[in-house]
Amino acid sequence: MANKTARNIGPVILLGPPGAGKGTQSKQIVERYGVPQISTGDLLRDHVGRGTELGLEARVIMARGELVPDELMYGIVATRLREADCQGGFVLDGFPRTAAQAGWLDAFLEKEIFEKSKKCPPVVIQMLVDYTQLLLRLTGRRSCPTCGRLYNIHSQSPLADELCDVDGSKLVIRDDDREEVISGRLAAYETQTRRVADYYRAQKRLVAINAERLMEEVTAQIFGVIDRHCLGWTPVAGRRS
Ligand code: AMP
């Protein structure tokens, strides 16, 4: 998807269970609109990799497939969203995951993003995928430790078995994609993250899309939602009500 359109799209929030394709679709949004992808899973994995204090604490929780406490999340998200590259908008992948995080994010965006310059308000896209599909996607997920490219042995397999097409590195399975952890992650989603969708639905800010379709079709749906959302918004007299 070349066709890059550099313009302010404001915050885009992708909601969906693990395996819904948030990471894959975020990359398409990055490519088209030139905004950064903020993946809280990646930010945490970076801390784990660097062995920071936060990383040491998060590592054990993540390996169990549970959610890292909200207070730890707020610090890393706030720090990242204050960086200059987020000024024209960003795509949030994996945050918010609890209703409390959603409330915190609203307050943060209101204070730190909207006050500085009037920007397109957040659009929240919920990616719907059936449970059996999710299991297939998660158990088949592989990534390249060198270039980060994502594969799925069931649907997007590499040309050579378990090797990256780009650099030939041996593909790896994320610790929390092991079968025994997946059910815990999906349960955490069911109990906590569904409330995030309820939170945005109650405010009439949730747009649900069918994320079981082909990747390109899901991307087209998402671009359509973002384009309609931002075109219908004019920053002249402040924010749209
Ligand atoms: P992800 O890559 O988004 O699937 O996240 C991997 C793991 O990081 C999750 O299973 C959680 O343990 C942790 N994590 C990521 N985002 C959050 C969040 N917003 N709140 C709490 N924990 C998170």
Side-chain angles (χ1 to χ4, degrees):
M1 297 264 174
N3 197 15
K4 190 163 163 170
T5 62
R7 63 190 164 87
N8 184 345
I9 59 165
V12 176
I13 299 169
L14 290 186
L15 290 186
K22 299 187 296 294
T24 304
Q25 294 299 336
S26 294
K27 288 185 174 49
Q28 300 299 323
I29 298 172
V30 168
E31 176 68 21
R32 178 171 165 98
Y33 298 100
V35 295
Q37 170 194 10
I38 317 292
S39 154
T40 43
D42 285 350
L43 291 177
L44 288 167
R45 280 184 285 275
D46 176 57
H47 274 272
V48 171
R50 287 187 286 122
T52 65
E53 200 179 322
L54 189 151
L56 293 177
E57 198 170 336
R59 184 165 175 243
V60 187
I61 302 169
M62 291 169 77
R64 287 199 299 257
E66 292 166 8
L67 291 183
V68 172
D70 289 345
E71 289 64 34
L72 291 184
M73 298 309 301
Y74 299 156
I76 55 170
V77 174
T79 304
R80 182 64 188 88
L81 294 186
R82 284 182 185 129
E83 286 175 29
D85 63 337
C86 293
Q87 290 302 304
F90 47 85
V91 51
L92 270 176
D93 152 17
F95 190 94
R97 255 175 158 103
T98 64
Q101 290 181 4
W104 174 88
L105 181 66
D106 268 346
F108 179 87
L109 294 177
E110 186 73 26
K111 188 161 168 281
E112 304 225 8
I113 306 277
F114 288 135
E115 270 191 0
K116 281 191 194 138
S117 53
K118 302 293 179 201
K119 292 203 168 129
C120 186
V123 57
V124 186
I125 303 174
Q126 183 184 29
M127 300 175 66
L128 301 172
V129 185
D130 162 82
Y131 190 84
T132 321
Q133 270 280 336
L134 287 177
L135 281 182
L136 265 183
R137 289 186 185 185
L138 290 169
T139 53
R141 188 150 75 175
R142 302 286 185 275
S143 63
C144 172
T146 311
C147 70
R149 184 161 175 177
L150 297 172
Y151 297 87
N152 191 296
I153 54 166
H154 305 302
S155 53
Q156 279 174 284
S157 52
L159 297 171
D161 200 26
E162 302 284 341
L163 297 179
C164 178
D165 294 349
V166 181
D167 51 47
S169 304
K170 173 111 181 72
L171 301 181
V172 293
I173 306 180
R174 266 169 47 174
D175 265 1
D176 55 357
D177 276 347
R178 284 176 291 114
E179 265 186 88
E180 62 275 24
V181 179
I182 287 172
S183 54
R185 291 174 67 205
L186 291 175
Y189 174 77
E190 275 303 315
T191 51
Q192 301 205 270
T193 311
R194 261 187 201 282
R195 295 199 199 118
V196 178
D198 294 342
Y199 173 96
Y200 288 122
R201 191 177 300 108
Q203 299 178 0
K204 302 198 176 0
R205 288 156 66 194
L206 190 71
V207 185
I209 60 156
N210 176 355
E212 278 182 36
R213 296 193 188 163
L214 290 175
M215 192 197 101
E216 293 76 12
E217 293 173 8
V218 176
T219 306
Q221 288 183 81
I222 291 176
F223 287 173
V225 172
I226 295 173
D227 288 343
R228 279 192 299 278
H229 175 77
C230 296
L231 283 178
W233 183 81
T234 17
V236 246
R239 279 176 293 133
R240 191 169 55 166
S241 59

